[in-house]
Amino acid sequence: MVNSGPRPVAPFSHAVEADGWVFVTGQMPTDPAAPDAPLPEGIEAQARRVMANLAIVLEGIGLSFEHVTMARIYLTQFERDYAALNALWPSFFTPGKLPARTTIGVTALAVGALVEIDLVAKRP
């Protein structure tokens, strides 16, 4: 667990490491400073909050987005939000160094979120 990380919405660790591979639990668009506050409005704001939460977890274990090798993204409104997410996604990574990615449409996510993202990273 990362002390400054978001409050988990279920019983899990923020990240688990095995043989240099780091598996970061899917994060929600909750605010670590105000975990019971309403979620941000819209996919862009929620995706930015999720990525900020993932950055907190990565930084808490000495890594950053440059170490990410794989991302899985879950969207509750796939048809509506896929293009907006794709437009925003590259802004989080070094140009030309995007991780592998899977994006999945789902019927619901915890806390009524529009998006959840989990990551796989490799420690150098």
Side-chain angles (χ1 to χ4, degrees), residues 46-123:
Q46 286 199 19
R48 287 183 193 284
R49 181 73 255 171
V50 167
M51 293 301 285
N53 289 346
L54 288 164
I56 291 167
V57 173
L58 287 168
E59 289 168 13
I61 57 175
L63 298 174
S64 69
F65 287 130
E66 74 181 55
H67 301 103
V68 174
T69 60
M70 175 68 185
R72 283 179 295 253
I73 302 170
Y74 307 90
L75 296 173
T76 60
Q77 300 292 321
F78 190 92
E79 294 292 327
R80 183 191 72 193
D81 293 340
Y82 186 67
L85 177 79
N86 283 338
L88 183 64
W89 186 249
S91 70
F92 299 106
F93 299 95
T94 301
K97 296 195 177 198
L98 294 173
R101 188 184 106 180
T102 300
T103 306
I104 304 162
V106 297
T107 59
L109 291 167
V111 301
L114 299 174
V115 60
E116 179 176 352
I117 303 171
D118 67 51
L119 304 174
V120 177
K122 180 74 167 103
R123 191 171 295 282

